[in-house]
Amino acid sequence: MNIILTNKLASDNLHEDLLNKIDQSFPAEIFFIQTDSNKVDSGGWMIVGKNGLARIEFEPPSHIVMVADGNWLVVHDAQYDRTSYLPLDKGILGALLNPKEFNSLNKLEVSKIENDFTTGYSVVSENFSGSELRIYFKNSDNILSNWEILENGKISIRVKILKIKKLENI
């Protein structure tokens, strides 16, 4: 694995490259496996649009549904009838769901991670100390393949894409 260290100008160029790849990937329907920090796997399905729009559902036994409307990430647990509202621009996941808006509000530093099969981007923000988002694309077709959210240097969530279908509009 090659890690490319960056200065501010290079980081801005890498961020533009990342925005282009995300823009090419979405909107999309995605089937995935998510692994949490306790090594528990959960299958699921999501639709990710542009401008922070998304719907995420997990397979049973999970009762969680998440919806992003461009401003908020709404997490609903049907089992306990509990709903949480999280500002989309107040967490590192906003860098994936609404990257253009997120960058204008947060000071981002982007670096590139490459190997023979994937190109990855590490996204960190001064506003979210200890949080990092890593986004990976297959080199063969520049298609989004997985992402990871790290907290204090340890993987908190890993999402592996099983199937991705590009959609025209949502």
Side-chain angles (χ1 to χ4, degrees):
M1 175 179 353
N2 300 322
I3 296 177
I4 300 171
L5 300 175
T6 61
N7 59 29
K8 177 68 175 131
L9 180 59
S11 179
D12 289 346
N13 291 339
L14 289 174
H15 187 251
E16 190 63 35
D17 186 37
L18 174 59
L19 287 176
N20 289 335
K21 286 187 177 187
I22 290 174
D23 196 51
Q24 291 172 9
S25 295
F26 298 144
E29 178 181 35
I30 299 171
F31 293 87
F32 65 90
I33 295 287
Q34 176 176 296
T35 306
D36 66 20
S37 59
N38 295 321
K39 308 279 190 253
V40 175
D41 289 340
S42 302
W45 164 90
M46 68 176 75
I47 295 281
V48 179
K50 299 202 183 222
N51 303 320
L53 302 177
R55 179 178 179 92
I56 304 155
E57 298 181 13
F58 292 91
E59 295 173 351
S62 177
H63 302 276
I64 303 288
V65 175
M66 299 176 6
V67 176
D69 70 357
N71 296 309
W72 295 92
L73 178 62
V74 181
V75 181
H76 180 71
D77 187 330
Q79 181 177 10
Y80 299 107
D81 194 25
R82 298 286 185 259
T83 304
S84 299
Y85 297 83
L86 308 167
L88 197 53
D89 63 349
K90 301 296 184 214
I92 197 74
L93 186 60
L96 177 64
L97 294 179
N98 200 359
K100 290 177 185 168
E101 181 70 20
F102 190 86
N103 187 43
S104 68
L105 299 172
N106 300 283
K107 297 175 183 174
L108 297 182
E109 184 177 319
V110 179
S111 57
K112 196 172 193 178
I113 308 162
E114 294 183 293
N115 65 34
D116 291 340
F117 305 105
T118 61
T119 298
Y121 296 85
S122 168
V123 181
V124 296
S125 169
E126 288 180 17
N127 297 349
F128 308 113
S129 180
S131 294
E132 177 184 359
L133 173 65
R134 292 183 184 168
I135 306 169
Y136 298 91
F137 298 85
K138 294 179 195 171
N139 287 341
S140 59
D141 53 14
N142 279 328
I143 298 293
L144 182 65
S145 64
N146 62 297
W147 65 84
E148 302 166 336
I149 297 175
L150 289 80
E151 298 293 339
N152 299 314
K154 295 183 180 176
I155 294 178
S156 174
I157 295 173
R158 174 179 281 141
V159 175
K160 179 181 179 194
I161 295 175
L162 303 175
K163 179 181 174 184
I164 185 169
K165 177 184 174 188
K166 180 89 166 100
L167 302 174
E168 291 304 314
N169 285 318
I170 44 174

